[in-house]
Amino acid sequence: MDITIKESTLDEAIRINKQIPELEEPHFTKAYCEQKCGSKEKLVLIAYLNKEPAGYLIGFDHHEDGSFYCWMVGVLLKFRRKGVLTSLMQYQDKWAKKKGYTGIRLKTRNKRREMLAYLVKYGFSFARVIKKGHETPEEYRICMEKKL
Ligand SMILES: CC(C)(COP(=O)(O)OP(=O)(O)OC[C@H]1O[C@@H](n2cnc3c(N)ncnc32)[C@H](O)[C@@H]1OP(=O)(O)O)[C@@H](O)C(=O)NCCC(=O)NCCS
C-alpha cells in the first residue's frame, strides 16, 4: 500500500470531506473553514493511496498554548483501515514538532468509535468531556491530547 501525504488547500480538503458520509454537512464551506482558522498558523493535508485522494486533515493553532489543534480529519470509506489516518497524524506530529509545538489536542465525539480507538492506541489521553444542552452521551465531545 503506497500512502503519500501532501500539504494542500482548503478547496481540496473540502472536496474530500463532501464524500465522507459522517462528516459531510452543508455548512462545511471554504468560508466557514477560513473563519474557523482565522489568521492562525494552519496545516491542510491530503493523503493519497496509490495516487488516489483518500483522506484529509485540517489543523490550526487554535489554543495558542503551545499545542497544535487537529480540527478535522476523515478518510473515504473505501480506503479505511489501511493506515491513512495513521499516516496523516504522523505527518502532523512531525510537522508540528518541527514548528515548535509541544503537543496535539483534538475533540471528537463518543459516537466516533474508530477515532477513539485510534486515539487510545496512539497515546492520547482523555482530558475533558463537553456536554451541550440535552445531548445524548453519544454526542458528548471528548477532548483528547498528547505530548509531542
Ligand atoms: C476515524 C477514521 C479517520 C480512521 O481512518 P483510517 O484510515 O481507517 O484509520 P487507520 O487505518 O489509520 O487506523 C488506525 C487505527 O485506528 C483504529 N481504527 C480505525 N478504524 C477502526 C475500526 N473500524 N475499528 C476499530 N479500530 C479502528 C485502530 O486502532 C487502527 O489501528 P490498527 O489498524 O493498527 O488496528 C475513519 O474511520 C473516518 O474517517 N471516520 C469518519 C470520520 C471521523 O470519525 N473523523 C474523526 C472525527 S474527530
Side-chain angles (χ1 to χ4, degrees):
M1 218 54 80
D2 174 26
I3 300 173
T4 315
I5 308 295
K6 287 189 184 155
E7 292 179 35
S8 187
T9 59
L10 286 173
D11 284 321
E12 182 64 1
I14 290 162
R15 205 181 62 74
I16 297 174
N17 183 79
K18 283 193 196 310
Q19 302 167 61
I20 298 178
E22 298 93 334
L23 301 182
E24 202 289 318
E25 286 179 33
H27 75 272
F28 195 79
T29 60
K30 189 175 178 184
Y32 173 74
C33 292
E34 279 172 344
Q35 179 240 320
K36 197 84 186 165
C37 301
S39 58
K40 294 176 173 177
E41 183 166 50
K42 69 173 184 302
L43 176 68
V44 182
L45 298 178
I46 305 297
Y48 297 85
L49 200 144
N50 297 333
K51 301 202 171 23
E52 272 193 78
Y56 80 97
L57 178 153
I58 304 173
F60 63 102
D61 185 11
H62 185 30
H63 300 287
E64 297 180 319
D65 62 354
S67 68
F68 191 69
Y69 181 63
C70 176
W71 176 43
M72 294 290 296
V73 61
V75 174
L76 299 183
L77 281 170
K78 69 172 174 170
F79 296 122
R80 288 194 188 165
R81 218 60 208 271
K82 297 178 193 312
V84 174
L85 172 64
T86 309
S87 300
L88 285 164
M89 297 297 270
Q90 277 170 355
Y91 189 106
Q92 176 185 245
D93 282 4
K94 249 194 192 159
W95 177 92
K97 208 168 175 176
K98 220 158 103 185
K99 293 276 183 183
Y101 292 97
T102 54
I104 301 290
R105 291 174 66 177
L106 61 79
K107 278 199 286 260
T108 190
R109 291 178 192 247
N110 256 333
K111 67 181 178 189
R112 304 262 178 251
R113 310 310 282 186
E114 297 87 353
M115 191 66 190
L116 285 171
Y118 166 86
L119 293 166
V120 169
K121 184 169 178 181
Y122 287 91
F124 280 77
S125 297
F126 293 78
R128 211 155 55 94
V129 176
I130 302 171
K131 178 186 174 186
K132 288 191 184 169
H134 296 289
E135 284 176 345
T136 58
E138 301 81 60
E139 302 295 336
Y140 293 178
R141 290 150 188 83
I142 316 294
C143 303
M144 309 283 294
E145 55 191 52
K146 75 166 187 179
K147 286 199 166 53
L148 286 173

